[in-house]
Amino acid sequence: MFVARSIAADHKDLIHDVSYDFHGRRMATCSSDQSVKVWDKSESGEWHCTASWKTHSGSVWRVTWAHPEFGQVLASCSFDRTAAVWEEIVGESNDKQRGQSHWIKRTTLVDSRTSVTDVKFAPKHMGLMLTTCSADGVVRIYEAPDVMNLSQWSLQHEISSKLSCSCISWNPSSSRAHPPMIAVGSDDSCVTYGGKVQIYEYNENTRKYAKAETLMTVTDPVHDLAFAPNLGRSFHVLAVATKDVRIFKLMPMRKETATSSGPTKFEVQIMAQFDHHNSQVWRVSWNITSTLLASSGDDGCVRLWKANYMDNWKCTGILKGDGSPVIGSSGQPVALSAAGGSSALASQNALNGVMAGRKKAQLMPG
Amino acid sequence: MGFVWGPGDLLAYETQYKPTGICHCPFVHVVRKDEDIYSPILRKLFNESHHIFVGLQNMKDDVPSKNKKHQYVTHVSKNYRSVIRACMEETHSQLKTASDIIPRWFECMFIRQVSILLAVELIWNLCEVLFIEAAPAGSLLLHLLDWVRLHKADVDEKAQEVLQSECPAEHQAYWDVTVCYILQGRIDEARQILLKQASQQPAARVTFKLMDSLLMKMPIYNPGGTQTLTEFDVKWRRWHQECDRCLQDNSFASHPHLELICKILVGDEDTLLEQREHLSTWYHFLVTRLLYCHPTVKPTELHYYAQASMDMFLDGRSAPEPLDSILLAAFEFDIHQVIKDCSIALNNWWFVAHLTDLLDHCKLLQSHNLHFGSNLREFLLLEYASGLFTHHSLWQLAVDYFDHCPEFGRVYLELQIERVPLDTERKALKVLRICEQRQMAEQVRSICKIMAKKALRNNRLGSALSWSIRAKDAAFATLISERFLQDYCTHGTFSDLDLIDNLGSAMLLSDRLTFLGKYREFHKLYAEKQFAEAARLLLSLMTAKIAPRSFWMTLLTDALPLLEQKQVIFSADQTYELMHCLEELTTEHSQQLTTKIELLRLALARNLALAIVKEGTLEA
């Protein structure tokens, strides 16, 4: 069912984020010890740390990989109010032998006046674009016009969301049917402002991002959000980690006139809501095909959620803090027992029996 | 506590300890689901069943009659089952041969997997009998008997032992074997073995003869025969009554074993239940009971008998296990329940995906309208194939499964195939071929771009260039051509000559690339001493503005040896052009390389003079 292995991460303080690269062969971890570590998976499946370096002068909150089309590029953001972009350079041959690689800083983005809480690359079809959000509520979108020169980034958009931001998520869909869309979550504990999740959409005419929707039903602080991969659907699916796990369905409504200039109006439905964690939910993440959602919470467990073919969402697994599954919980698959069924026959016997049957015993006596 | 998904269904997460003052070294746990696909045992199963699956999908409607189709589907079902059995056998033999070498936990895993395969084959076989063969009353029981016999074959082993012993009739397992034969309805074999006993006890000859005649007269339904079911039923009841009479007038009272057998023949429930050990499972009990109480059972009546049998057999001694509920659901002809229960109980989707696909081909599934895929079959196939994709070699099988999922197969494949790690060129080419065959242009472009970027990082310019050509990425091709030219300027030679020489029409992807190709062509012509051609090409590179300005100096320098030749190569007009180019250069740039420019001017002037003279001279 689940097999877990542990890697001693060697960070000197709490780890705040772990990020896989696109192909799942490399991993980056970042920590309050102000450093980022990069791990490579060998052919035998072992993880080795191939780089470790100090990245910021404060806790590093998040780290993320760019699409491999742009090379081996990482971005990190930190409490020290900056975000940085790093590129791996091919080292000397003796470095390679030692299994080490070097990462150099290509740029530091210093526009934020407060702690930068999240950094994400935009979907690759938009070019090489980086987004940050800060505790003062400003979301910044940068672009590197020349993908070969990672030291040149220009600030393309600044969005003031008026609420302290904690997380952002891009809609990964590259379909021309909808414009680029980004969701911003806030962990502001102030209750006067209603919705803690805001959706911004790019407008071709004004060339700006405008707010398209606020999810008013989310009133508690949001710690994480994630758009699901689109799969060619006409609607969007967004998972939100707040005091519980919520999955929203956003259906774009038809624009009345062809020249309608405002952002798309959405009909928002809640597809599922789970409070199994019984505590704050910190992370939500989709698998590649958006068939499984995982969430983690303050109860120290990771839960997996799956929709069956009738579109009913259920929990299909629970993992404890050390990776071991929780046995006997509802929804946990139970392996089939021996072929003997309800009898007490050992499976070995049944096995022997069946095997013997392959050679038909000759009965004709002498 | 946090976590992140990895592409390969891996889940890595970190632990955040509450700051209680104790700061352990934080761990990252890598968790993997569906470890079954990594099992070497099942790999063969996946490969072979993939073969069968593809064959089934490609079954055209050129199979004319419904009957033929039915036969074909049954044949496919048997194929699947034989693959399962082959898998079990191989595992079993591996276990036997290497039993002392393999570690204990490995052995346990093997045994566990084999037992699951056994269960799977049992269920599949039953589904085949009930749903695919869909035998009517009469033959239904015969099929069920076969089913039971196949899965309860330890009798044969025991029988061998008994028969090969010195005195079979005295063997301690003799009666066990005999009773088992009767329970399984193997009448002929029972008669044979009873003969042995009969010959040992001449005194009881009459009793044995009576038993033998009863057994001989037992009617067995022949589906291909002329006898109708009703006729058979009548005959059977008469025989049943005869057996009962024998019991009533204590014909076998002197011989407890024979009496037992007679009670079984009569279908006495209590007697049958006493044979628990020989029956070992409630479904064996069910089939035996049907054989001796109601051989003309109809499919629709099965579920009643099944539930009752299970209750009687288990009798509160043990709770029904998942396997039992699945079999019961099958007897109730509730396909959806079978599939649902199997999905829950089994670790991977192999079984339900293939079985559902097969049943769908029999048009047995009524589709609900689903969100994932348009029906249950597609949902299960997508799940199964997605699971395969995480494996480093089995992912190729998954491609075919996605191909046969009409609604979501393509988009799933697009998402998954992008994530296949491109460790080697060969693997990348494999992935590319799959994408190209399916016109997944964006994925092709992306993969080529990733490979090009990787090659460039490792300074393998030739590889980078060929990948960017394949990606049709003009910008990148320009960049790499620049690098080539820079290299030439510094080193004086080109690397990857083969590639540049054979660019062909790919040259046209970008201007710089065209220049690179043509420039190389110039070098080749020069080497082959085709000076006139070379000269013409060189000039055209500048006049047609194919060459970048920055390179003109180099080109003009290349022209020098041509100018210095004894024979006149550049015509007067051409020389004027060259001079013009030189002037353009010098007016634009500052006074660098003055010596070179002087040299050029001198050479050009000399050439001009010679050219004019040559052209002015009449050929003698």
Side-chain angles (χ1 to χ4, degrees):
Chain A
M1 263 269 74
F2 289 105
V3 176
R5 261 184 306 167
S6 301
I7 310 166
D10 240 355
H11 277 288
K12 300 182 186 51
D13 205 332
L14 296 179
I15 298 176
H16 293 290
D17 198 15
V18 173
S19 179
Y20 268 107
D21 81 329
F22 190 72
H23 294 295
R25 288 297 175 85
R26 309 190 81 180
M27 185 170 70
T29 58
C30 66
S31 156
S32 267
D33 67 3
Q34 303 176 3
S35 73
V36 165
K37 287 184 198 286
V38 173
W39 307 77
D40 281 16
K41 192 176 185 186
S42 70
E43 293 201 358
S44 56
E46 302 287 317
W47 289 94
H48 300 284
C49 180
T50 54
S52 170
W53 73 102
K54 182 168 188 294
T55 47
H56 291 274
S57 49
S59 291
V60 188
W61 297 129
R62 301 269 189 146
V63 67
T64 182
W65 292 84
H67 194 276
E69 268 187 40
F70 302 115
Q72 297 297 305
V73 177
L74 274 176
S76 60
C77 68
S78 159
F79 179 74
D80 69 356
R81 309 193 297 273
T82 66
V85 176
W86 311 87
E87 187 174 15
E88 186 182 39
I89 50 169
V90 178
E92 302 295 305
S93 52
N94 48 352
D95 273 339
K96 273 222 178 79
Q97 280 174 349
R98 277 188 299 126
Q100 292 299 305
S101 64
H102 288 288
W103 291 76
I104 59 173
K105 185 191 285 208
R106 288 299 188 198
T107 190
T108 314
L109 305 169
V110 295
D111 303 277
S112 174
R113 276 183 245 115
T114 53
S115 164
V116 184
T117 49
D118 199 359
V119 63
K120 289 270 179 356
F121 282 99
K124 73 167 178 344
H125 67 268
M126 292 172 64
L128 186 52
M129 293 180 73
L130 187 65
T131 324
T132 60
C133 72
S134 308
D136 61 2
V138 181
V139 175
R140 293 182 173 84
I141 304 179
Y142 299 85
E143 183 172 9
D146 178 7
V147 302
M148 296 307 300
N149 180 2
L150 293 179
S151 34
Q152 288 292 99
W153 292 81
S154 68
L155 176 61
Q156 299 282 70
H157 304 278
E158 233 177 44
I159 306 171
S160 295
S161 74
K162 298 188 180 53
L163 288 174
S164 155
C165 299
S166 59
C167 48
I168 42 184
S169 174
W170 280 99
N171 188 343
S173 160
S174 56
S175 151
R176 302 226 186 110
H178 25 258
M181 195 188 306
I182 184 170
V184 182
S186 161
D187 58 354
D188 203 304
S189 42
C190 177
V191 286
T192 50
Y193 288 116
K196 297 288 192 300
V197 176
Q198 298 173 43
I199 316 271
Y200 290 88
E201 206 187 40
Y202 184 69
N203 187 316
E204 290 282 333
N205 300 329
T206 63
R207 308 264 194 94
K208 282 196 168 49
Y209 280 85
K211 193 190 305 204
E213 188 68 48
T214 307
L215 300 183
M216 298 305 294
T217 52
V218 184
T219 50
D220 301 283
V222 169
H223 306 292
D224 197 12
L225 27 79
F227 269 107
N230 185 260
L231 290 188
R233 298 184 287 236
S234 61
F235 57 89
H236 312 289
V237 177
L238 178 68
V240 179
T242 162
K243 72 170 198 293
D244 51 22
V245 177
R246 288 186 214 182
I247 307 177
F248 288 94
K249 181 174 177 179
L250 300 159
M251 285 162 292
M253 301 204 281
R254 275 203 177 281
K255 298 207 168 141
E256 288 91 40
T257 59
T259 54
S260 173
S261 54
T264 320
K265 290 261 171 285
F266 289 97
E267 188 194 324
V268 179
Q269 271 179 16
I270 189 151
M271 281 172 91
Q273 191 164 351
F274 309 110
D275 55 4
H276 295 52
H277 284 285
N278 229 359
S279 53
Q280 292 293 319
V281 181
W282 285 90
R283 285 295 171 91
V284 279
S285 178
W286 295 94
N287 70 345
I288 307 174
T289 48
S290 79
T291 48
L292 262 180
L293 176 69
S295 64
S296 69
D298 261 344
D299 62 344
C301 286
V302 174
R303 283 179 164 71
L304 302 171
W305 312 93
K306 192 175 175 58
N308 69 0
Y309 62 96
M310 300 289 256
D311 237 354
N312 295 326
W313 288 85
K314 273 206 327 229
C315 180
T316 62
I318 309 176
L319 298 168
K320 292 202 302 262
D322 57 2
S324 57
V326 174
I327 318 280
S329 41
S330 66
Q332 182 76 355
V334 173
L336 263 191
S337 60
S342 52
S343 80
L345 254 195
S347 55
Q348 190 67 39
N349 268 357
L351 175 60
N352 283 334
V354 172
M355 290 306 132
R358 300 285 289 162
K359 338 168 193 67
K360 266 281 177 208
Q362 287 308 314
L363 257 200
M364 303 309 280
Chain B
M1 127 133 274
F3 74 93
V4 73
W5 272 115
D9 243 16
L10 290 160
L11 188 73
Y13 62 95
E14 75 268 27
T15 51
Q16 278 178 317
Y17 292 97
K18 290 278 175 241
T20 56
I22 314 161
C23 200
H24 302 271
C25 177
F27 278 91
V28 176
H29 303 283
V30 182
V31 181
R32 208 170 61 192
K33 274 179 57 186
D34 289 334
E35 136 227 16
D36 264 3
I37 58 167
Y38 297 98
S39 153
I41 308 165
L42 295 180
R43 188 161 325 160
K44 187 172 171 155
L45 179 70
F46 295 140
N47 271 307
E48 311 243 331
S49 59
H50 162 258
H51 208 60
I52 302 175
F53 173 84
V54 173
L56 179 61
Q57 308 307 309
N58 292 331
M59 171 184 79
K60 297 289 185 199
D61 297 298
D62 57 309
V63 183
S65 69
K66 198 173 168 194
N67 203 18
K68 271 250 157 112
K69 187 165 181 183
H70 178 96
Q71 266 179 16
Y72 179 75
V73 173
T74 317
H75 179 70
V76 170
S77 179
K78 289 190 161 51
N79 269 350
Y80 273 124
R81 283 198 298 120
S82 69
V83 166
I84 302 174
R85 295 194 141 242
C87 197
M88 280 196 290
E89 262 187 25
E90 188 171 318
T91 315
H92 192 65
S93 64
Q94 271 191 20
L95 258 181
K96 278 223 150 79
T97 52
S99 55
D100 39 347
I101 312 173
I102 53 178
R104 184 86 207 139
W105 66 268
F106 212 57
E107 196 179 333
C108 286
M109 181 186 83
F110 265 39
I111 294 178
R112 186 181 71 88
Q113 292 210 320
V114 169
S115 76
I116 291 180
L117 283 175
L118 265 173
V120 162
E121 207 263 328
L122 180 73
I123 301 168
W124 192 304
N125 200 347
L126 184 61
C127 289
E128 185 183 305
V129 166
L130 296 175
F131 303 136
I132 298 175
E133 303 242 33
S139 25
L140 176 61
L141 181 65
L142 296 174
H143 280 112
L144 285 175
L145 272 173
D146 278 334
W147 175 65
V148 163
R149 283 176 199 158
L150 198 57
H151 292 93
K152 189 79 187 65
D154 56 350
V155 173
D156 291 300
E157 220 176 72
K158 255 195 253 175
Q160 275 267 21
E161 213 183 288
V162 168
L163 288 169
Q164 282 170 359
S165 71
E166 292 233 341
C167 193
E170 316 255 306
H171 198 286
Q172 63 170 56
Y174 173 81
W175 284 111
D176 287 337
V177 171
T178 317
V179 169
C180 281
Y181 276 152
I182 302 284
L183 289 171
Q184 287 189 14
R186 291 158 80 166
I187 305 297
D188 289 331
E189 286 153 298
R191 286 177 65 201
Q192 290 270 354
I193 207 170
L194 275 173
L195 270 178
K196 299 225 182 291
Q197 188 68 239
S199 58
Q200 295 287 84
Q201 301 185 29
R205 202 168 53 88
V206 173
T207 332
F208 274 94
K209 198 102 189 161
L210 178 60
M211 175 51 74
D212 192 58
S213 80
L214 272 182
L215 290 173
M216 188 180 70
K217 285 193 240 169
M218 176 173 173
I220 302 285
Y221 182 67
N222 180 3
T226 48
Q227 187 188 51
T228 67
L229 195 63
T230 336
E231 284 169 11
F232 165 77
D233 196 32
V234 166
K235 209 167 160 209
W236 183 81
R237 279 181 201 284
R238 228 180 288 149
W239 172 83
H240 194 263
Q241 276 165 4
E242 197 182 326
C243 293
D244 202 26
R245 252 198 317 268
C246 288
L247 264 183
Q248 299 302 334
D249 42 340
N250 290 323
S251 316
F252 297 109
S254 55
H255 226 287
H257 286 288
L258 291 181
E259 189 165 54
L260 172 70
I261 292 176
C262 195
K263 281 197 182 151
I264 296 174
L265 291 181
V266 157
D268 182 49
E269 260 171 33
D270 294 322
T271 318
L272 288 177
L273 279 172
E274 279 166 27
Q275 301 308 311
R276 255 205 187 79
E277 210 185 290
H278 291 132
L279 291 169
S280 78
T281 59
W282 64 269
Y283 40 93
H284 191 340
F285 172 62
L286 163 70
V287 175
T288 308
R289 204 174 144 226
L290 287 172
L291 175 64
Y292 293 114
C293 300
H294 192 35
T296 53
V297 63
K298 294 204 271 283
T300 44
E301 295 170 336
L302 260 184
H303 77 274
Y304 164 70
Y305 285 100
Q307 182 72 62
S309 301
M310 187 168 94
D311 292 335
M312 274 194 265
F313 193 86
L314 291 182
D315 195 22
R317 284 163 209 224
S318 43
E321 291 180 4
L323 177 61
D324 298 323
S325 5
I326 295 169
L327 292 173
L328 194 60
F331 283 121
E332 290 170 1
F333 284 86
D334 191 348
I335 300 184
H336 283 131
Q337 191 66 36
V338 172
I339 293 171
K340 198 158 91 170
D341 286 345
C342 286
S343 306
I344 297 173
L346 286 168
N347 200 6
N348 76 42
W349 301 91
W350 180 86
F351 173 50
V352 284
H354 287 89
L355 182 64
T356 312
D357 174 60
L358 187 61
L359 293 175
D360 189 49
H361 273 85
C362 302
K363 306 267 182 287
L364 281 170
L365 295 176
Q366 288 142 340
S367 33
H368 300 268
N369 267 329
L370 307 167
H371 172 61
F372 284 95
S374 59
N375 53 37
L376 179 60
R377 167 192 169 271
E378 180 155 329
F379 174 78
L380 294 170
L381 284 175
L382 288 171
E383 288 292 331
Y384 171 63
S386 298
L388 280 183
F389 238 101
T390 62
H391 191 273
H392 61 87
S393 67
L394 289 175
W395 63 270
Q396 296 170 74
L397 302 178
V399 176
D400 283 315
Y401 286 97
F402 282 129
D403 281 343
H404 291 106
C405 291
E407 191 152 321
F408 281 112
R410 190 189 167 86
V411 67
Y412 267 67
L413 181 58
E414 281 173 3
L415 285 172
Q416 298 269 24
I417 205 148
E418 280 187 323
R419 305 275 183 158
V420 175
L422 307 167
D423 310 312
T424 60
E425 283 231 355
R426 218 174 105 218
K427 194 165 184 192
L429 287 170
K430 227 186 256 189
V431 175
L432 267 181
R433 198 182 26 233
I434 293 173
C435 294
E436 279 164 356
Q437 278 170 354
R438 288 156 184 76
Q439 280 99 42
M440 293 182 172
E442 173 52 34
Q443 279 69 28
V444 169
R445 190 206 60 81
S446 183
I447 290 167
C448 290
K449 185 69 193 286
I450 295 172
M451 295 303 287
K453 193 85 196 193
K454 201 152 87 161
L456 188 63
R457 249 163 43 90
N458 292 312
N459 231 11
R460 290 180 289 120
L461 291 180
S463 182
L465 185 60
S466 65
W467 282 113
S468 43
I469 290 173
R470 198 154 175 179
K472 301 208 190 5
D473 190 335
F476 213 57
T478 304
L479 199 109
I480 298 172
S481 310
E482 284 276 6
R483 287 278 286 270
F484 268 117
L485 294 168
Q486 273 169 25
D487 267 3
Y488 174 75
C489 287
T490 29
H491 302 296
T493 49
F494 282 114
S495 53
D496 302 289
L497 281 175
D498 271 342
L499 175 63
I500 308 173
D501 284 345
N502 295 312
L503 279 176
S505 55
M507 224 190 276
L508 301 169
L509 181 61
S510 101
D511 283 344
R512 194 67 86 254
L513 186 58
T514 316
F515 170 63
L516 180 65
K518 292 283 176 201
Y519 189 51
R520 171 69 198 136
E521 217 177 288
F522 162 73
H523 279 277
K524 270 205 303 210
L525 289 170
Y526 188 90
E528 289 163 15
K529 299 215 193 299
Q530 295 185 37
F531 295 127
E533 275 297 318
R536 213 169 301 143
L537 180 58
L538 186 65
L539 191 55
S540 68
L541 284 178
M542 283 189 280
T543 50
K545 306 272 191 272
I546 300 178
R549 265 310 162 75
S550 49
F551 221 72
W552 278 17
M553 205 58 217
T554 320
L555 288 177
L556 288 169
T557 320
D558 283 333
L560 259 179
L562 289 172
L563 293 165
E564 310 265 297
Q565 294 274 349
K566 279 221 205 66
Q567 58 194 127
V568 174
I569 301 170
F570 285 101
S571 72
D573 284 334
Q574 285 177 327
T575 319
Y576 277 125
E577 296 260 19
L578 282 172
M579 288 170 137
H580 186 67
C581 290
L582 183 58
E583 284 313 308
E584 263 193 65
L585 260 188
T586 48
T587 45
E588 276 183 15
H589 303 295
S590 54
Q591 313 302 357
Q592 303 158 323
L593 313 160
T594 37
T595 37
K596 213 171 207 174
I597 295 176
E598 287 310 313
L599 257 174
L600 273 170
R601 285 215 173 104
L602 188 58
L604 282 169
R606 256 212 303 262
N607 193 66
L608 186 59
L610 287 169
I612 293 174
V613 169
K614 179 181 172 213
E615 282 160 31
T617 313
L618 281 169
E619 292 297 306

